Amino acid sequence: MRRAVCPAMQHRRLLIAACLAAAVTVAAVYGVGTEPPPLGGRCELAGLTDAAGCPASAPRLLTPAEQTGRAPALLWSFPGSGNSFLRMLVEQGSGYATGSVYHTDPVMNKVFVGEQTCGRDVIAVKAHEKIPSRCAAAALYPREVVLVRHPVKALFAEYNRKFARGGNRHVLSVARHEFSAANFTAVMEDMARQWAAQHLARLGRGGRAQLVVYFEDLVAKGAEDALLRVLRFLGVCAPSRAAARCAVAHGEHPLLRRIRREGDVTIDGAVTPDVLDRVWAILGNVAERHGYEKDAWTSRRATRSD
């Protein structure tokens, strides 16, 4: 456990007192952990007050003064794991904008004010495996939040995003009459290999403070506790439990809320026992180290690193 260290801020004496009592646990994944750099868990940005209202006002970019001496964190995940959902929670719970290494998605440009930036004017930056050169400077992200979701759910969500037709792919599913079992099996196997390789490569790597967060904890009872851990790790001073609770209640944006249409393929209909066996044979060892089980797609058991 590392005690948070607050910078001298004469106009925020009350926040400093709260920050000195704050603490954050940095996850050591698979028993492999390095001493995090000083930025990990440092109190840097004023948190919302309980009187901020619910839902919180539109998140804003950091001012030049707030950018001094800090750098954004990386919000890393495999596609389909709920990265955009976590961004919404962070923004509603902190009042600060998040960015992204991607900038060509018209839907995301409408949802996130910081979508086209990966600089110091945002509190954290979304990324998957490939980071564009304009955002790839390692020094820019001294810490990272790694978001993990049950692989079957994550892979199925990404399959729908890739192959759904008719508009906003973030919320649509593949229609049953357009579904190909053979194509689905091949895509799931290919993504399973990517999921396993990327999580093994990402988690536990040295050089950055790293916090592992599970999607299932962000949608379960007590989700505000998981969000508060993230906010403290991102440097938010004395984050408000009321704001975190409000963020959990209002964190799903209408443009990102999945639409269930009659005639869409469902996960139970698509992921047959054969498909599940093939996927789990590829990534099961990695998934099980995170507490995931082959036949339980909406929960996870506790592990030693929790």
Side-chain angles (χ1 to χ4, degrees), residues 3 26 81 84 92 100 151 188 210 230 238 256 272 280:
R3 186 169 295 278
V26 178
S81 299
S84 297
Q92 289 293 312
S100 172
M188 290 289 281
Q210 189 179 83
V230 174
L256 300 177
T272 63
W280 212 254

Side-chain angles (χ1 to χ4, degrees), residues 6 16 19-20 48 91 120 159 168 174 194:
C6 300
I16 292 175
C19 290
L20 290 173
L48 293 172
E91 292 193 351
R120 297 177 183 272
Y159 167 79
N168 180 2
V174 172
Q194 295 177 43

Side-chain angles (χ1 to χ4, degrees), residues 111-130:
V111 175
F112 297 106
V113 66
E115 177 65 14
Q116 299 190 40
T117 181
C118 54
R120 297 177 183 272
D121 53 351
V122 292
I123 190 172
V125 177
K126 170 184 176 177
H128 297 310
E129 183 59 16
K130 295 182 179 180

Side-chain angles (χ1 to χ4, degrees), residues 173-177 259-266:
S173 298
V174 172
R176 195 175 294 117
H177 69 272
I259 299 172
R260 300 297 180 188
R261 303 172 299 181
E262 185 176 354
D264 284 346
V265 66
T266 65

Side-chain angles (χ1 to χ4, degrees), residues 133-208:
S133 58
R134 67 184 180 86
C135 299
L140 190 59
Y141 313 111
R143 53 192 156 177
E144 64 183 11
V145 176
V146 176
L147 176 64
V148 187
R149 185 183 189 184
H150 194 292
V152 173
K153 297 283 282 189
L155 269 55
F156 187 69
E158 178 62 1
Y159 167 79
N160 280 310
R161 190 192 68 80
K162 285 184 173 182
F163 295 99
R165 298 179 181 179
N168 180 2
R169 294 186 178 183
H170 294 284
V171 301
L172 298 178
S173 298
V174 172
R176 195 175 294 117
H177 69 272
E178 298 175 335
F179 177 76
S180 164
N183 176 68
F184 178 73
T185 301
V187 170
M188 290 289 281
E189 287 182 308
D190 181 59
M191 289 194 297
R193 285 185 282 271
Q194 295 177 43
W195 191 96
Q198 290 181 24
H199 284 79
L200 280 174
R202 197 90 205 171
L203 298 177
R205 64 168 56 178
R208 287 177 179 156

Side-chain angles (χ1 to χ4, degrees), residues 64-78:
E66 290 169 333
Q67 296 175 37
T68 302
R70 78 173 311 277
L74 204 62
L75 292 184
W76 184 89
S77 71
F78 188 86

